[in-house]
């Protein structure tokens, strides 16, 4: 006979959500990601600042506890014996800090969409509050959850590229080539409004992903940068294209290009890293393959789950090689890694070995990166440091 007491899985974490109601894009992505590994149950939400939409969205989703304000949700959930363990924040950028603060001060764990906040002073204040609260704070830079990104990180850490010299990362799209925000399209509207997005347009929206990915894989720390930001669409109040030169501690050099006005590009996130012993190349639109070229030898294709792929990739791989796995699963890996940390915090045990997800440090670095890009561009591309 099997002893069910020793084989039962831990109960699902009770999850709440702020934002992500009707007509929202990223909220649905977060909900799917939270369900893929069956680690969470969505039980509460303040899905919109519009009370009618908030209640209707909860009904659409079958969520039992609906709130019309995040402050009310934080207060009432904290008082319940069956209150939420964690909250997912999927609002526009300017609401990340005020929402997170309400839950942090009540000891509720936070899973927040990137960037951490809209401004650097907000980011510093939030990071200080989160550290003081002792809660788990996860930031959904989902590309760090891709198996072949974990593979690349491990190979660099193991010295397979030697001393790093060059980092080239780009994230290019075309969806804002025309003034889409003028049509009332919701996603374009808030992303091009500095009051809601922050001072960075493409730099804040997708440049932060590229910057975070390069840092995660290489382990390098940025020293200074020089940025040229442009708003090509007339009347646009934030940048829609950015070119950034980067100097890292230790001597490595990098280039980052982010754009949302490059026709023909849908979601072109690409990373290339070169060292004294070889190079790596990875593209998000073909994410199951990592190309490795030892210096003086043939280029080699490493496949997700296939020959040459190591344990770091395997622990976040679900299905056999040759089957597409990518965006949603990358998000799910962040949620599952966060779940491990949250359960450890709840039980007072050690976080399982290998648990990795972006958090406060990466969030601060991302907002500081945008701030530095804006400062540098305003000074005609002067070299500046991150104001951390």
């Amino acid at each position: 006979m099997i002893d069910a007491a020793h084989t039962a899985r831990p109960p699902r974490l009770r999850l709440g959500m702020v934002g992500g109601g009707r007509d929202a894009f990223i909220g649905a992505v977060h909900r799917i990601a939270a369900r893929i590994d069956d680690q969470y149950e969505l039980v509460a939400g303040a899905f919109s600042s519009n009370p009618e939409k908030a209640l209707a969205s909860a009904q659409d989703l079958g969520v039992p506890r609906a709130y019309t304000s995040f402050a009310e949700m934080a207060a009432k959930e904290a008082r319940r014996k069956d209150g939420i363990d964690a909250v997912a924040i999927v609002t526009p950028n300017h609401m990340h800090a005020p929402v997170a603060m309400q839950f942090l001060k009540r000891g509720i764990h936070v899973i927040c969409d990137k960037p951490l906040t809209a401004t650097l002073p907000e980011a510093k204040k939030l990071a200080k509050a989160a550290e003081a609260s002792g809660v788990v704070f996860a930031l959904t830079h989902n590309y760090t959850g891709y198996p072949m990104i974990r593979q690349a990180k491990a190979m660099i850490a193991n010295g397979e590229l030697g001393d790093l010299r060059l980092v080239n990362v780009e994230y290019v799209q075309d969806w804002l080539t025309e003034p889409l925000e003028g049509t009332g399209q919701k996603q374009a509207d808030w992303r091009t409004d500095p009051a809601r997005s922050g001072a960075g347009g493409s730099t804040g929206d997708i440049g932060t992903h590229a910057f975070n990915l390069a840092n995660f894989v290489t382990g390098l720390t940025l020293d200074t940068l020089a940025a040229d930001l442009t708003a090509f669409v007339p009347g646009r109040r934030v940048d829609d294209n950015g070119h950034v030169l980067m100097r890292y501690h230790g001597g490595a050099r990098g280039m980052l290009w982010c754009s949302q006005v490059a026709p023909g590009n849908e979601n072109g996130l690409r990373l290339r890293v070169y060292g004294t012993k070889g190079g790596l190349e990875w593209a998000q639109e073909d994410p199951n393959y990592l190309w490795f070229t030892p210096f003086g030898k043939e280029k080699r294709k490493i496949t997700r789950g296939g020959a040459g792929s190591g344990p770091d990739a395997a622990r976040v791989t679900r299905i056999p090689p040759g089957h597409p796995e990518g965006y949603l699963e990358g998000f799910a890996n962040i949620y599952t890694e966060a779940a491990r940390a949250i359960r450890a915090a709840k039980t007072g045990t050690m976080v399982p070995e290998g648990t990795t997800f972006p958090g406060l440090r990466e969030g601060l670095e991302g907002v500081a990166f945008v701030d530095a890009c804006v400062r540098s561009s305003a000074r005609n591309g002067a070299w500046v440091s991150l104001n951390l």
Side-chain angles (χ1 to χ4, degrees):
M1 174 183 281
I2 297 175
D3 186 349
H6 292 287
T7 59
R9 52 156 287 160
R12 297 178 184 89
L13 295 170
R14 296 182 295 273
L15 182 67
M17 179 171 283
V18 177
R22 284 182 175 179
D23 305 320
F25 157 66
I26 204 65
V29 171
H30 280 254
R31 289 189 290 271
I32 293 169
R35 291 170 56 193
I36 282 179
D37 290 333
D38 204 24
Q39 299 294 313
Y40 301 85
E41 180 181 5
L42 184 62
V43 298
F47 295 105
S48 174
S49 58
N50 179 305
E52 291 183 0
K53 183 181 285 189
L55 297 176
S57 297
Q59 188 173 18
D60 290 345
L61 297 167
V63 174
R65 300 197 291 272
Y67 298 92
T68 56
S69 83
F70 63 84
E72 177 194 16
M73 175 178 163
K76 289 187 175 180
E77 288 295 318
R79 291 197 295 265
R80 296 179 64 105
K81 289 185 178 180
D82 62 348
I84 60 173
D85 298 302
V87 62
I89 301 173
V90 293
T91 64
N93 302 348
H94 72 298
M95 292 303 297
H96 290 181
V99 174
M101 286 292 192
Q102 289 290 326
F103 291 89
L104 289 174
K105 68 183 184 181
R106 293 173 171 88
I108 296 172
H109 304 288
V110 175
I111 301 170
C112 185
D113 202 43
K114 64 83 209 163
L116 183 62
T117 60
T119 70
L120 188 55
E122 278 184 329
K124 291 180 177 181
K125 183 178 179 180
L126 178 58
K128 186 176 180 180
E131 289 167 355
S133 73
V135 304
V136 173
F137 196 107
L139 195 70
T140 54
H141 275 298
N142 58 298
Y143 300 108
T144 65
Y146 281 52
M148 301 318 291
I149 285 298
R150 299 292 177 95
Q151 174 72 22
K153 179 180 178 66
M155 292 175 68
I156 289 173
N158 291 337
E160 294 185 51
L161 266 64
D163 295 329
L164 299 186
R165 289 173 170 170
L166 304 171
V167 181
N168 189 307
V169 62
E170 63 184 53
Y171 198 158
V172 288
Q173 303 171 335
D174 66 1
W175 72 291
L176 290 177
T177 296
E178 295 182 333
L180 188 61
E181 60 269 33
T183 68
Q185 206 266 13
K186 181 178 179 179
Q187 299 301 321
D189 184 52
W190 77 259
R191 281 179 167 82
T192 57
D193 176 6
R196 289 179 285 172
S197 68
S202 64
T203 48
D205 192 24
I206 56 177
T208 49
H209 268 312
F211 177 67
N212 172 262
L213 188 70
N215 289 355
F216 180 81
V217 170
T218 65
L220 295 173
T221 300
L222 187 68
D223 184 12
T224 57
L225 63 77
D228 179 18
L229 309 184
T230 306
F232 279 107
V233 173
R236 185 164 285 164
R237 293 176 290 167
V238 293
D239 65 88
D240 48 31
N241 188 89
H243 294 92
V244 187
L245 295 176
M246 301 182 292
R247 294 173 178 169
Y248 293 97
H249 290 295
R253 296 291 188 264
M255 294 186 295
L256 184 151
W257 174 37
C258 59
S259 182
Q260 293 173 314
V261 292
N265 290 282
E266 294 176 330
N267 207 61
L269 175 58
R270 183 183 183 191
L271 176 67
R272 292 175 286 177
V273 184
Y274 304 101
T276 54
K277 294 182 180 179
L280 288 173
E281 301 177 28
W282 179 83
Q284 191 275 153
E285 292 179 330
D286 200 7
N288 291 291
Y289 304 122
L290 177 68
W291 293 93
F292 172 47
T293 309
F295 177 65
K297 297 182 180 180
E298 72 283 354
K299 180 178 286 190
R300 305 169 185 177
K301 183 172 75 172
I302 304 172
T303 65
R304 181 196 52 74
S309 182
D312 292 87
R315 70 181 298 275
V316 292
T317 292
R318 292 171 181 78
I319 55 180
H323 297 79
E325 184 175 308
Y327 183 73
L328 292 172
E329 293 87 353
F331 254 108
N333 286 334
I334 302 302
Y335 265 88
T336 298
E337 300 278 59
R340 294 189 179 109
I342 292 169
R343 285 202 174 93
K346 283 167 61 71
T347 57
T349 56
M350 294 291 292
V351 178
E353 185 178 356
T355 301
T356 302
F357 56 88
L360 292 169
R361 179 178 61 82
E362 291 82 1
L364 265 175
E365 289 175 348
V367 180
F369 166 76
V370 176
D371 172 79
C373 287
V374 172
R375 286 188 287 115
S376 171
S377 189
R379 295 169 54 190
N380 201 29
W383 288 93
V384 301
S385 300
L386 300 193
N387 185 18
L388 289 169

